[in-house]
Amino acid sequence: MNIQNTAGEAHKKATTKKTGFWMNLLRVREAGISLIILILVVLVSLRAPAFLTADNFMDILMNISILVIVSLAQTMVLITHGIDLSVSSIIGLVAMMVAFILKQYPGTPIFSAVLLGMALGTVLGSFNGLVITFGNVPPIIATLGSQSIFRGLVFYYSQGTWINSFELPANFKLLSKGTPLGLPNLVIFAVVIAVLVYFFLKYTRTGRDIYAVGSNPDAAQFAGIRTHRVKLLVYMLSGLLSGFAAVLWASRFESAQTNTALGFELQTVTASVIGGVSTSGGAGTVPGVLLGALLLGIIQNSLTLVRISAFWQMAAQGLLILIAVISDKYILERVEKIKK
Amino acid sequence: MKAENSQELKPETLIAEKAEHYSLSTLFKHWEWMLVGLIIAVVLVNTNLSPYFLNANNLSRTSSDFMEIGLMMLPMVFIIVTGNIDLSVASNMGMSASFMGLLHNMGVNIWVAALAGLLLGTLGGVLNGYLVGRVKLPALVVTLGTYAFFRGLAYGFLGDQAARNYPPEFTYFGQGKVFGTLVPFSVALFAVLAILFGLVLHKTTFGRYLYAIGNNENAAIYSGVPVSKIKFRIYVLSGFISALAGLILAARFGSTRPDNGTGLELSVITAAVLGGLDINGGKGTMYGAALSLLLIGLLKFGMGLMNIQSQVQSMVVGLLLIISILLPHFVSQISSIRKDRIRWKSILAIVAVVLVFAAFFAFFFWSRAAVIASV
Amino acid sequence: MSEYILELKDISKSFSGVEVLHNVSFTLRPGEVHALLGENGAGKSTMVKVITGFHQPDNGEILLDGQPVQFSDTRESRQAGIAAIYQELSLFPDLDVAENIFVGRHPITTGGRIDWRKLYAEAGKLLDSLGVQLDLRQKARNLSIAQQQIVEIARAFSINARILIMDEPTSSLTLNEVADLFHLVRSLRDKGTAIIFISHRLEELFELADRVTVLRDGFWVDSCMLKDVTRDDLIRMMVGRTISNQFPKLDVCAGEVVLKVEHLCREGVFEDINFELRCGEILGMAGLVGAGRTNVARAIFGVEPATSGSIILADEAVTITSPQQAIKLGLAYVPEDRQHHGLITPMQITSNISLPTLNRYANHGWLQGKKERKASFEAARQMEVRANHVQQLARELSGGNQQKVVLAKWLSTNPRILILDEPTRGIDVGTKAAVHALMSKLAAQGMAILMISSELPEILGMSDRVLVMREGHVTGHFYRNEATQENIITAATQDVRAGSCQ
Amino acid sequence: MKRNYLFLTVAALLVFGMALSACSSAATEAPAAEESAAMEEAAPMEEAASTCSDYVLVPKNLGNPYFDTADTGAQEAAGELGITVLYQGPATADATEQITLLNSLIAQNVCGLAISADDSDALVPTGKAAMEAGIPVVTFDSAIAPDGRNFHVNQAVAQDIGAIQIQMASELAGEAGGQIAVLSATSTAPNQNTWIEVMKEELTKDEYANLELVEVVYGDDDDTKSYNEAQALFTKYPDLKVIISPTTVGVAATARAVTDAGLIGQVFVTGLGTPNQMREYVKNGASPEFALWNPGDLGYLSVYAMHALATGEITGAVGDTFSAGKLGDYTIEDDPDLGLNVLLGLPFIYNADNIDDFDW
């Protein structure tokens, strides 16, 4: 919605009044975070020339691809004024189950493994969805609970055994790393999913219903939107994408461990929130989330490159997140003022 | 309700000054009673299952394990009542304790160091409070940032070092018992603070303002409630108490490392929510929160005695969290279902859902059995 | 084929044991405007929600074209051709105007994707036909209440329903807008659409409706042709008694100036506002919705402080930056949006009333419950709040009673200056008269009252002086004897010069 | 509402008070006051405790193959001794959780504890409490500071571990030497830090003068983080020759990172790893050799040590000797840094020649 609005307006105004173009560009919600990324890139590349290399950027893209996929799922949930804290445990459980199957039946076609992962993820996501919609449990509570339940299932399932690299078929490991199209598959998957989600959120009624439900649930019901179904759907989608991410995770890291993706849920929320997704629902865009994930990836990458001591890295990361959020708000306020 | 039903009602009907009385049945609908019931059940079951459960020494030792969570829960209740959240408490705790440890390692007097730790923690709260209260950023976003920032500072302070050799006067706060009893000092401190916080929440204007903000922030602003000032204060308070919890933890461990207490914020929130606090604000009580802490503590201790694995323990708490909200809703739902409105479509949906989950678990166990057989 | 397009037979509905509708029956013919009348809490809104399938009746039957139907949600009723504007505004704050109109029914291209171009074009057309200018890409969050109401109406019209239900569609609209709306409603009726129309403004009903059904306390009272009854008949049916005077304004001699506003300005919202308010006086503020009246009130009360200009309270220039400060200075403000700004509905009546004066009932911060309860009981009793006890939750009260609680709350602060923003919006006739009587009494006791209202009869009936605003400027000032409908409307629609804040 | 508050507080205090008082009386005069069924049950259990048979092996965390292997060894020893060894650990490697767990074990009056500590200092008070309750405490893998345990079962002397890794790194870097980096577990893991200190000392020797330690990074024993840290090392130090990762999680993640980045033959990985995790990388050349003791033996020895203490065979003093089944006899030694300990043996180097002999 944001893009539609702002881009449309920017377009309209730019044609009428040339000087206002840059001001109007600033209205774009994503402008603030882009600016921050730009500044960061310039600063870091001044200190560390290794930063501005194609290889390094490929590393960054590889590293944020899974984050992007799950953050997009998280975004859809956040738009409905929900939150899914269980994505990390879904990834852990699905990765473990798929890896076990692949270890057991190495001949399993990769395509089936991916489908299996998505199916398992969807079932887990629908558990959240059912508890939240028909059980009337607040999302943060329901998914906080299912986070520990799913993680417990990982332990129960694996009985402490890990799946190691040598136990996984080679073609499965290539699923994320192969580069038949010039870019690593992982990055391509992330791009494809981003495009799909963008189209879904903008050009389908169901996608718009997600915004409507998050913006005003009562009104959505008045308008004949089946809010329960929409909410159930976003949690199922969240499970589905997490399941897909789980398969990619197992493929990229060539292992499944009991603590796979532990704590990952906070990263997805952070990426979404930095990308301008409102935690009170109704607002959020795909480009914003992509930028949010990119910012996180760049921060992580650059801190190591500019040789900030490992011990201070986390502090710097937190500080940068705070600065990003504060300056974003400041930029937004300026924009609002200019509008009036 | 009586007035509404009466036919001869005139607009000038006066209202009563007080509700006449609460019937016993409405009393028992309160979540807090459910907690009391659960606690009694847990005590009875555990007493029967384990001879070590009702043992003063054991209870005394295990109770101090939950006091850091308990302490941080107190201001968290305030914050959740206003509809906000503080994810940074555990990180703040680590930061303050590490700072104290750093100063201690540098040879600073322990009390000065502790004071400095408290001060830093409070400053952390000031940062949160400023960003949430004054700059008006969403609490979730702010504290997600400070969650990383504070923990990072903790690592920055101590790095791979530990602070140790705290003097016994200091470790008393974590390991000592109140003179002449088996009650650990930290438990006594928690009890006193819990009563104090409970009184503030339920008996003061400040507490009333918290509920007003949580229920309708805009209306509270229009009514002259100093909303941003109050938000600022509760975050500062949260920072201070987190630092205090950090010191207690350091005293209990007799040492400090920067990763101390990682992940405790989720336990804190879990305890608060299980205590009946509405995560959206405006609802819940301090005694509910305190009871839920007691419940979780007794439950975990009991399960530990039965050698139930830690993952299963956290699964049980997770299930309890969901069921505690799910169950009352379901009961009221089921009782309000009208038979003539049941459609075959919804029955089909339920059957489908059950089948899907059955299939999931069938697969879950089938694949696992194959794996175990191969090991 | 039945004579009626819609028929309700012995519908009952209760919520948590309290019966809100008792065996209500209702009929609707194609091509008629059927007014539904009743005090707040009489069950009108519930009836509307039962018709649209938002609620399901506990007993009774709904017949559509003579066939019994059961709607399990609003989607099904809409498919059956029923559209509704609900009393609570139901817009999506994060979506823009055009999308709000078409939410859930976005036009789809042949390829199956949403046709945004068509959506904006149709939304534009629809708003043009309603005679309003709105930025289609504006977020609903940024609209005024009246603008929101217009979007709601546009949404209902866009459905092309056979049955259109309008629950208080005009409560925030200005006369011009109401006239445009009625014009549209009549043309729809002439095309055979059946319309259920709910309003508290009786004049409107006489102007528009063919038949009327009156509800009281969830009971059906009567259905009759409007031409057969008088205004007083209707009021008697609604409240079960007669109300003599709607505007019991007493003539008072205004005292000294208590509030003086000079060159008040808030960038982009209003500018150069000058007026004075004397004690004992009711100053009416008229104008179209969105003219900046509410913003002026908020600036004075410190919610959104002015950027320049001065506020002088009893010869002392003050800068008010927060409501706390305003309250201390003797100001009180009853906001227009009761649900979001006026009341904390999930809290008790007591807590609501005592909120601005809480320190009065506290000893070093410790609340004295009994003292607080006693004081709020007194305040509520003086306002004749209808409730079981003061510990009842505010959300359980009807709109009129909620407004009384808001008034009780603000009067208990003993203000010198009372700002009322749409004080009778969406409340029933009985309460309305009571509020007017109260205003009159307060003014007679020497209180200075600034009243913002979009209802001209109220402005004309209650004000000693009238200020008219237009696009952030004061464009007219009339004394009681020179204020007429015509010159107020002229001032409210005249052109204003553009300027900027100093 | 308000009245409820008082009522509830009183109720809560009552419950808690009842629990406390009931059991404090039980603790002091348990045999006399046989009020509850629980107390009656308690008596026979306590008798059973004298002929103790329940021992517990406490890993840093559950679901970790390294400790699971230790458990396998422990169970073997348990079978030989005719005792029961439970395997109980926290879900994540976190001291707070481990302490809670230990408290519930102490409460059960288990016969002995063998602990791998998540935090050497934080566990001291808990270890002391266990010993005060008459439960022998031995540590393995990662020690509790000397005050909090009877003695430590040392997998290898820090000196040996540090030295062997530098030695391997030197071999892999070749004649010319070059830059090396260390990828450790958490920055707070005590054993890791000791080893890194030793490595730094070793590097001052003349024979290693051509090796330059450029940085120590931390992967937190988290696969993803370790992988990313390894990647960052490649970018940052294009001339990097060897990465030493003295942790099983880190070394596997680093070897995979080398493989993924196509740096085999350019950057070598060595450190402490497990055969199953490293098999692939030993074979593809990313990590030609790595070292580790046998954790199974470690678990095995720990159980014998704990049993010897619990049965009074030894008291835990310097010079005490006990027999540990297939591993032979061990003597408790005193070490200025480590305190009392027994030493398992020298670390073992795994390479392409021998790796297929191991499956764990």
Side-chain angles (χ1 to χ4, degrees), chain B residues 111-316:
Chain B
W111 303 114
V112 177
L115 215 61
L118 281 177
L119 194 69
L120 183 69
T122 314
L123 276 179
V126 169
L127 177 64
N128 279 333
Y130 181 77
L131 293 178
V132 175
R134 305 286 153 131
V135 186
K136 299 191 168 47
L137 288 167
L140 188 72
V141 179
V142 168
T143 56
L144 210 55
T146 50
Y147 160 85
F149 182 50
F150 294 161
R151 182 62 71 187
L153 285 181
Y155 279 105
F157 291 143
L158 279 181
D160 53 6
Q161 300 299 304
R164 49 175 87 84
N165 299 327
Y166 293 132
E169 305 91 82
F170 178 74
T171 53
Y172 168 82
F173 291 109
Q175 300 170 18
K177 311 234 186 305
V178 173
F179 181 73
T181 66
L182 275 174
V183 180
F185 172 80
S186 55
V187 174
L189 178 72
F190 169 74
V192 169
L193 284 181
I195 289 170
L196 192 69
F197 273 67
L199 288 174
V200 167
L201 183 62
H202 297 291
K203 296 279 176 195
T204 67
T205 53
F206 187 78
R208 177 69 62 75
Y209 287 155
L210 295 179
Y211 281 102
I213 294 171
N215 278 312
N216 186 341
E217 187 170 330
N218 274 321
I221 292 174
Y222 275 87
S223 300
V225 174
V227 171
S228 42
K229 203 188 280 173
I230 286 177
K231 282 192 186 171
F232 180 75
R233 281 187 193 160
I234 50 179
Y235 277 97
V236 173
L237 189 65
S238 175
F240 174 78
I241 297 283
S242 302
L244 188 66
L247 302 194
I248 300 277
L249 186 75
R252 178 154 74 89
F253 284 3
S255 65
T256 310
R257 283 186 190 274
D259 63 346
N260 281 163
T262 305
L264 279 192
E265 66 279 342
L266 289 186
S267 312
V268 172
I269 294 168
T270 303
V273 169
L274 194 58
L277 267 92
D278 186 339
I279 203 82
N280 299 315
K283 257 185 252 137
T285 57
M286 188 60 84
Y287 47 87
L291 286 175
S292 98
L293 184 73
L294 186 63
L295 175 67
I296 292 177
L298 290 174
L299 197 62
K300 280 203 158 181
F301 179 59
M303 289 192 289
L305 287 183
M306 279 167 254
N307 292 319
I308 291 170
Q309 291 194 336
S310 320
Q311 297 95 26
V312 181
Q313 293 188 20
S314 58
M315 271 176 90
V316 169

Side-chain angles (χ1 to χ4, degrees), chain A residues 124-144:
Chain A
L124 295 174
S126 64
F127 172 77
N128 286 331
L130 290 170
V131 167
I132 289 163
T133 52
F134 296 100
N136 214 17
V137 179
I140 195 169
I141 310 303
T143 56
L144 196 62

Side-chain angles (χ1 to χ4, degrees), chain D:
Chain D
M1 188 79 177
K2 304 290 169 216
R3 205 185 297 159
N4 281 359
Y5 175 56
L6 253 179
F7 194 25
L8 278 168
T9 319
V10 171
L13 285 176
L14 266 179
V15 172
F16 192 57
M18 257 165 29
L20 262 181
S21 61
C23 42
S24 59
S25 64
T28 48
E29 41 188 321
E34 282 180 334
E35 305 154 343
S36 67
M39 293 310 124
E40 284 168 36
E41 271 176 44
M45 288 294 276
E46 265 160 32
E47 274 170 35
S50 56
T51 58
C52 199
S53 69
D54 282 347
Y55 294 80
V56 190
L57 189 73
V58 182
K60 278 185 183 172
N61 63 326
L62 289 178
N64 184 333
Y66 172 83
F67 290 110
D68 288 359
T69 310
D71 182 43
T72 315
Q75 297 308 333
E76 188 187 338
E80 290 168 16
L81 290 168
I83 57 173
T84 320
V85 174
L86 292 171
Y87 181 59
Q88 278 285 327
T92 53
D94 170 63
T96 323
E97 263 198 75
Q98 201 174 31
I99 289 172
T100 311
L101 174 86
L102 286 173
N103 276 337
S104 71
L105 292 173
I106 296 169
Q108 293 174 63
N109 254 321
V110 293
C111 326
L113 290 167
I115 303 166
S116 173
D118 278 322
D119 183 326
S120 65
D121 301 297
L123 263 75
V124 172
T126 316
K128 272 186 186 162
M131 291 188 292
E132 275 162 24
I135 302 169
V137 177
V138 298
T139 55
F140 68 101
D141 176 60
S142 167
I144 301 179
D147 285 351
R149 41 122 168 142
N150 292 83
F151 62 86
H152 179 57
V153 178
N154 197 7
Q155 57 271 47
V157 186
Q159 188 61 42
D160 294 344
I161 299 172
I164 206 162
Q165 290 185 78
I166 291 297
Q167 181 201 322
M168 287 190 298
S170 170
E171 282 166 27
L172 292 172
E175 298 278 304
Q179 293 183 333
I180 63 170
V182 171
L183 196 152
S184 172
T186 57
S187 56
T188 56
N191 48 3
Q192 296 278 328
N193 293 327
T194 324
W195 299 335
I196 293 170
E197 280 313 305
V198 174
M199 287 186 214
K200 286 180 181 165
E201 267 172 45
E202 282 287 308
L203 283 172
T204 58
K205 289 184 181 165
D206 287 344
E207 49 194 297
Y208 300 128
N210 58 359
L211 295 181
E212 181 204 354
L213 175 63
V214 287
E215 191 167 358
V216 178
V217 295
Y218 299 89
D220 288 351
D221 261 352
D222 175 274
D223 188 73
T224 320
K225 178 123 198 275
S226 307
Y227 185 92
N228 292 342
E229 288 292 338
Q231 261 188 354
L233 283 175
F234 308 152
T235 320
K236 219 158 128 184
Y237 306 104
D239 299 329
L240 194 67
K241 268 281 166 53
V242 180
I243 298 177
I244 302 174
S245 184
T247 161
T248 56
V249 179
V251 75
T254 312
R256 196 175 70 250
V258 168
T259 310
D260 288 354
L263 293 173
I264 293 174
Q266 197 181 329
V267 180
F268 295 103
V269 180
T270 187
L272 308 177
T274 68
N276 269 354
Q277 279 180 297
M278 295 302 291
R279 193 178 316 276
E280 186 176 356
Y281 309 114
V282 168
K283 290 184 176 169
N284 75 11
S287 173
E289 54 181 357
F290 65 93
L292 197 67
W293 50 91
N294 186 339
D297 288 348
L298 191 60
Y300 184 89
L301 176 58
S302 303
V303 170
Y304 268 96
M306 160 163 82
H307 184 254
L309 270 175
T311 51
E313 183 186 339
I314 54 171
T315 56
V318 188
D320 278 359
T321 302
F322 63 96
S323 139
K326 64 175 185 184
L327 294 177
D329 289 349
Y330 284 87
T331 307
I332 298 176
E333 292 156 13
D334 198 3
D335 178 281
D337 293 330
L338 207 56
L340 298 176
N341 70 89
V342 296
L343 178 63
L344 178 66
L346 278 177
F348 183 84
I349 293 180
Y350 299 83
N351 54 34
D353 299 333
N354 64 18
I355 189 141
D356 284 333
D357 302 338
F358 299 92
D359 181 25
W360 52 271

Side-chain angles (χ1 to χ4, degrees), chain C residues 84 288 322 428 458:
Chain C
L288 299 182
S322 70
D428 53 84
E458 187 170 70

Side-chain angles (χ1 to χ4, degrees), chain A residues 50 56 59 63 155 159-160 162 164-166 173 177 249 252-255 257-258 262 304-305 307 310-311, chain D residues 62-65 68 91-92 187 218 223-224 227-228 231-232 235-237 249 256 260 276-277 280-281:
Chain A
N56 190 45
D59 279 349
N63 285 341
F155 280 97
Q159 295 288 310
W162 292 358
N164 297 307
S165 178
F166 77 96
K173 292 182 222 167
K177 293 169 204 165
W249 192 296
R252 170 157 160 76
F253 297 110
E254 296 178 6
S255 63
Q257 308 173 350
T258 43
L262 203 67
T304 319
L305 283 186
R307 306 194 179 196
F311 296 118
Chain D
L62 289 178
N64 184 333
D68 288 359
T92 53
S187 56
Y218 299 89
D223 188 73
T224 320
Y227 185 92
N228 292 342
Q231 261 188 354
T235 320
K236 219 158 128 184
Y237 306 104
V249 179
R256 196 175 70 250
D260 288 354
N276 269 354
Q277 279 180 297
E280 186 176 356
Y281 309 114

